[in-house]
Amino acid sequence: MPTLTIVSPFYNEAAPAAQFCSMLERLETEVKRRYSLLVDKVLIDDGSTDGSAETFASMLSGRWKILRLSRNFGKEYALLAGIDHAKGDLVLLLDADLQHSLEVCMTLIGEILADPEMDVVYAVRSDRRETGWRRAGMARLFYRLINLGQRYKVPENAGDFRVMRRRAVDAFAQLRDRRRFNKGLFAWIGFRQKAIEYRPAERAAGNTKWSRRGLFALSVEGITSFSAVPLRLVSGAGLVVALAGMLYGVKIVLEVLFHGIDVPGFPSLFVAVTILGGFNLALLGLVGEYVWVALSESKDRPIYVVRDILEPGRTGRSAL
Ligand code: UDP
Ligand code: MG
């Protein structure tokens, strides 16, 4: 029988744990009944401090393991840890906060099984249209920028919620980027991918781990690890400013020579200096961002550290 591995990262999700585990149980029964798939579960404790891991361990049934990371690494990293340990023919990535419903999971699995040629089926949020225009505009700009001149496209509003076949999972696990922008990595691997729309449920318990600042940082990370467009834009703008400066210089020389007009003093100088100075600083910051990416990649640290693994029969403190 082919196996489906469910990979779920969690960070301080003790509150929805009971509901989530019972959802997993229902999912397992359904999947076995409808598609005769075996199910195993890999949960990743991303450095929780609220005893989530023990709670999950006491409630899970069937085949499961919980990887406990040595600290909080972030969802991207926790997911990779889970994917590295997922053995199934199909792998379903699922949040532990109940925003990804049983029904949508069944749809994803149904869709991928219906078409043997399909390698990935991912879920796209349909509720983003209702977010404010400013947010939506920013998001559109972000995707426009990151997709500019790429051979692969990062789809809008697709998250990690998806089911993948073994070959796509293996390809993804080969990408050992240290700064992980999953949306980009999922697009980069290629394969035949298909989107289905869904509306995420409200969070049943606990809080989102994303702040506005976190989102902004993620966007910067996405752009700097997938696109050189900002650098090129700035070089282009620099060229334009330099050209304009030169033209202005020629104009001044001609005026002095032919009309005897004195060079009008400080304002022009001040404007030129501030514009160029600001421009220089901004460019320096941008280059710094890219240097920081290169630095993180070159340090060759492990991407995540597993503290220990909980399994049925090994669910808590060691004997010592
Ligand atoms: N998560 C994680 N590590 C983190 C932050 C979040 O493993 O540092 C998990 C979290 O417990 C949840 C999933 O990633 O299962 C999605 O997180 P969240 O609900 O905060 O994100 P959102 O749904 O708001 O995008
Ligand atoms: Mg969530």
Side-chain angles (χ1 to χ4, degrees), residues 16 19 24 35-36 53 70 72 92 114 127 156 227 237-238 257 263:
Q19 258 180 294
L24 285 183
Y35 305 116
S36 32
S70 61
N72 178 242
L92 173 71
D127 64 333
E156 270 182 55
S227 170
L257 286 184
V263 182

Side-chain angles (χ1 to χ4, degrees), residues 13 95 97-100 203 207-210:
E13 306 281 9
D95 282 2
D97 60 2
L98 298 168
Q99 290 195 284
H100 300 164
R203 230 176 194 285
N207 282 318
T208 177
K209 310 295 185 289
W210 286 112

